[in-house]
Structure formats: structure tokens, C-alpha cells
Amino acid sequence: MNKKNLLATSIAALFMTTAGFSFAANLKIGLAADVNSLDPHYFNSGPNNAMASHLFEALVSVDSDGRIAPGLALSWKAINPTTWEFKLRQGVKFHDGSELTAEDVVFSLDRPAQIKNSPGPYTSFTKQIVGKQIVDPYTLRLKTATPYGPLPLDMSSVFIVSKKIALQAGTDDFNSGKAAIGTGPYKFAAFKRGDAVELTKNDAYWGDKSAWDKVTFRIITAGAPRMAALLSGDVDAIESIPPADLSKLKSNAKFKLEQKISWRTLFWHLDHQTRVSPFITDKAGKPLATNPLKDIRVRKAIAKAINRTALSERILEGLAVPASNLVAPGVFGYNDSLKVEAYDPEGAKKLLAEAGYPNGFAITLHGPNNRYINDEQIVQTVAQFLSKVGIQAKVETQPLAVYFPKAAKGEYSMALLGWGSLAGDFALRTVLGTVNAENGWGSWNWGKYSNHALDEAIESSLASVEADKREAFAKKAAATALQDYAVIPLHHQYASWALRKGLKYKARTDEFTFAHQFKPE
């Protein structure tokens, strides 16, 4: 080897050593939430979608600021009020070498409706489509029954799979890797449920190639072990930094932080059903014949009883801002005329008395203990706030895998949920729209809230092709829901990542952790 080549090799080796990476360019990331399926049409949850984005892609992609951009579709346009035309990229290959065509897209748009017993279906993104026309192998027209402006945004949430591979495949086949054949920047290597997901670089990827030959995502849902893994070098980066460790990381020159207000809003779902609510009693433990949460005065009292500023600053240590909307500031449809509910415990007591509960009642608050920043502490703190105004609150938190299925069945009276969306009308349609299996509305409407005026405002928003008109209706819908205290907003969560020195990552509004967007400095 001549001196010039030897010098170049030495410099490269030095760089890889000082950056803390092996010559094989492996990346290890600690995830804060469990990935329970690799079937991209089974369970619409943030952790699943983030992982699926490594293996699969959608027609439309979303950038780090929440703006839509070309994905598998190079372009799209409305050729009339009820027809959108999508032009596909040519030459895109699935991991098995077969070429992506419009046939695969049509199959992928049909598949979510065929998934049985989904705990969080994708059908809200596909139900509007009543016709699919393949013009040629790279041109597809999607027809809706009525004008529907946000169809391109819907198409950012439906992953495209290979018809040939997935036609006879079930969810287990995706989880085993047999059917996990997409067009994404990585290929399946291993899925160890509850422990890790391993991926390898797709060298034939049509877009920018990843810097990493292999990526290992370790599932570390508890904050302390996740932080310990970073400090010990077991992982190169983590998401969702435990609030108590922020100052420690900021003062450690071996690491860097990336932060951004995310799209995720945490709020309370309330039982709106006319029934004996399962976790509401009098203070002696006797079930109440009437559900007090049906009374807007009670819902407003709960909102006033919560000190959101204290919650954000103390319990979340600055990793949140108080919320008044179901979506975060800057998101399409955010209504800035809605103000954060003022902390007013005396006003809450007065409202409870007016509603016929001068001595309050008892309620159990439910929430996850391994999904959101300090989620268990959030539930406990809100319980303390409610107890101060006469609502005797108990707490029951559970792992996400146990909590979500029960909450989705309406088994709780007051349940914590975090929701992220790139559009206010989307969030309202899914979280508060009247439950309707035919059109996919209300798939996360745990409290079974139903309001005809809200549904009309959402429908008007979704039917507007002009952005200004659509946003005006979206803001009207937000006001309709939140002035009725359909849910009780708490805060907008910060997204945060901690990285080893030598790495860089651009913080994302959607909180997703994408291995292919980590770069060596």
C-alpha cells in the first residue's frame, strides 16, 4: 500500500473510532414504546408506523416539519372534485426485486378493510375511496363519493405492500419477516417481540441510501434503563429523554440533544354514554345511576380543576406546553381563539354543585405507564387535582399492550390518550367523530361522543378542496368539540432525542425515530 492510500485509510479508521461507530457502520437506537406488529395495516399506532416506515413506504411522505412531500408518488392532482390522480415513481423495486406498479397500490388500499379485529384500524384513511382506476402501470386515479380535499394527506398513512407477497399473507407472516417485503430503505432481519427489531440496509433503495449497514432498535420502555443504555454505550441514541435526566445530558459533552414541540397532544377521553359508567361511584362505593360525565358542567369542572402549567413545568419538567386544542400549534386546523382552561378549583366546585354533586363523587382514572413522558405521574397528579375539588380519584395504570385494547372497548370512565395528527379535521374525525364502521369515523372515540354539529363541521372541512375554506371549517369543528368539553386537553408534548457525539438527527414534529435520517457528523 502506498503512503497516500495508507494515510487515507488511517484517517478513515480514526474518524470511525472517534465517532464511536464500528467499521461495519452499525447503529443502535433505544425506543421508548413497544412495537407490537410489523404488519403495516394491522394497528395504527405511532410506534408501529415509525417502524413500518423503514420497511415500507406510502404514496406521500411527510417531512420533519409535518409537510407532505412526494413518496412513492412523484405527483398528484385533483382532476375533478371527486377524482385524484397519482403518478408513481418508475423503477422502484420491492426487496425481492419485483417492480412496484399501480396494482400493488390498489391492493394495499383495499387491504386495511380486510384486517379482522384490528385494535386501531387504518380504514379511516381508505373509506373515502369508492373507486380505483389503473390508467397505466404508473398512473392511478382514486375516486371519492363526494369532494374530499385531504386525500393526499390520507395517502401518507397507508403503506404500500407487494400484492404478490401479501395476497395470501396474514399479520403473523409480516411479524415473522416472510411478508415484510416493502420498498423502504431497510430490509427485515429479525423481530424479537418486546425486545428488539433488527434491520439491514436496502442497497437497491431508490432514494438516498442509509449510512448504516445494520440497525438494531432496542425496546426499552422504562426511562431509567433507556438512559442507562445510552450512557453505557449499549445504544447510540435514544428517543423520549426522561425529564429528570435532561440537565445531566445538557452538561455532558459526550452527548447532544435534539428537541421540538411535537404534534402529540395528551388529553382525557370521557365516557359520554348513557349508562352506569363502570368506574364512577358515590364516595361510599355505590355505582351512580346516572353518568355525571354526560353533564357539561361536570366536564367543565374537571377541566378547571387541572393546573396545566404546574403539570407541564413540574411533572414534565418543561417537556410540554399547556394545551387548548386537540392538535398542536402550527398544525393545520389549530384554533388559536381557544384558550387554555384557567386553573380555577373554586369555579370547579361551584359547577359540581350546580350539576347536583355538591359533595363530588368517586372515579378511577386510567392510563398507560409506558407510553408517554411521565404518563403514570400525569395520571397521579390529575387525580390529586380532582380530589381537591371533591372528586375522589383513584389511579390505575397499565402497560400499553393491556391498556389500549380495554380503553378501545370503552371499559373505562376517564382514560388518558396521546394523539398526533397533521390536521385538525383528521384528529377530530378519528377521536371524536360519531362512531361509524362504514366510513371509518370514530375509530379512537373511546368515550363514544356524538355531536351532529361537530360531524357536519368535519364533513364540510374534509369536503373542501380549497385550503383556506377547509381550515376555516376545521377551526369551527375544533371550537364545537372543545367548547362542549368533549375531551379535556392537557398538554402538547415535546419530542426529544439524545445522541452520542458524532451523530446528528433533525427533530421531527411527528416524533418518529427514523434510522435512515441519522447521519454521521
Side-chain angles (χ1 to χ4, degrees), residues 265-270 272 295-304 308 322-329 332-342 419 423-425 427-428 431-433 449 451 453-455 457-458 473-492:
T265 304
L266 268 76
F267 60 91
W268 289 102
H269 260 307
L270 305 175
H272 290 274
D295 193 318
I296 188 175
R297 293 169 296 186
V298 173
R299 301 197 298 270
K300 188 173 182 179
I302 290 172
K304 286 185 173 296
R308 291 162 182 78
S324 63
N325 276 242
L326 195 58
V327 293
F332 182 91
Y334 179 85
N335 189 332
D336 53 14
S337 70
L338 296 169
K339 305 303 179 185
V340 174
E341 191 75 39
W419 192 259
D425 49 9
L428 290 165
V431 171
L432 288 172
Y449 180 77
N451 183 335
L454 173 62
D455 291 343
I458 298 171
F473 281 119
K475 290 181 177 181
K476 178 182 177 181
T480 300
L482 293 163
Q483 288 170 357
D484 194 35
Y485 296 88
V487 294
I488 308 298
L490 290 180
H491 56 268
H492 307 300

Side-chain angles (χ1 to χ4, degrees), residues 229-420:
L230 177 71
L231 295 175
S232 68
D234 286 345
V235 297
D236 303 303
I238 62 171
E239 61 181 12
S240 191
I241 305 166
D245 293 314
L246 273 175
S247 58
K248 182 191 304 183
L249 283 173
K250 287 178 180 178
S251 62
N252 191 330
K254 295 180 180 180
F255 302 97
K256 59 188 294 189
L257 304 180
E258 297 292 344
Q259 293 178 283
K260 190 173 192 175
I261 292 180
S262 79
W263 63 351
R264 189 171 305 283
T265 304
L266 268 76
F267 60 91
W268 289 102
H269 260 307
L270 305 175
D271 182 7
H272 290 274
Q273 299 177 77
T274 303
R275 62 172 180 171
V276 176
S277 197
F279 285 94
I280 297 178
T281 67
D282 63 19
K283 291 187 174 179
K286 181 180 178 181
L288 295 180
T290 301
N291 177 6
L293 299 177
K294 291 284 290 180
D295 193 318
I296 188 175
R297 293 169 296 186
V298 173
R299 301 197 298 270
K300 188 173 182 179
I302 290 172
K304 286 185 173 296
I306 300 170
N307 187 336
R308 291 162 182 78
T309 300
L311 188 67
S312 297
E313 293 179 354
R314 299 173 193 170
I315 304 305
L316 296 161
E317 300 190 37
L319 282 177
V321 293
S324 63
N325 276 242
L326 195 58
V327 293
V331 170
F332 182 91
Y334 179 85
N335 189 332
D336 53 14
S337 70
L338 296 169
K339 305 303 179 185
V340 174
E341 191 75 39
Y343 176 52
D344 182 6
E346 293 306 314
K349 292 176 184 177
K350 182 178 179 182
L351 284 165
L352 288 172
E354 290 175 2
Y357 303 97
N359 299 315
F361 53 86
I363 189 170
T364 300
L365 308 186
H366 287 87
N369 56 23
N370 63 347
R371 177 63 184 99
Y372 314 115
I373 300 173
N374 286 2
D375 44 14
E376 185 168 16
Q377 294 94 315
I378 290 169
V379 180
Q380 292 171 344
T381 302
V382 170
Q384 293 170 13
F385 286 140
L386 295 185
S387 295
K388 289 180 180 178
V389 301
I391 300 175
Q392 183 178 297
K394 295 189 294 183
V395 167
E396 184 175 336
T397 62
Q398 301 160 326
L400 193 67
V402 176
Y403 174 71
F404 265 5
K406 291 185 176 182
K409 293 177 183 177
E411 293 186 12
Y412 304 137
S413 298
M414 188 166 166
L416 184 70
L417 178 63
W419 192 259

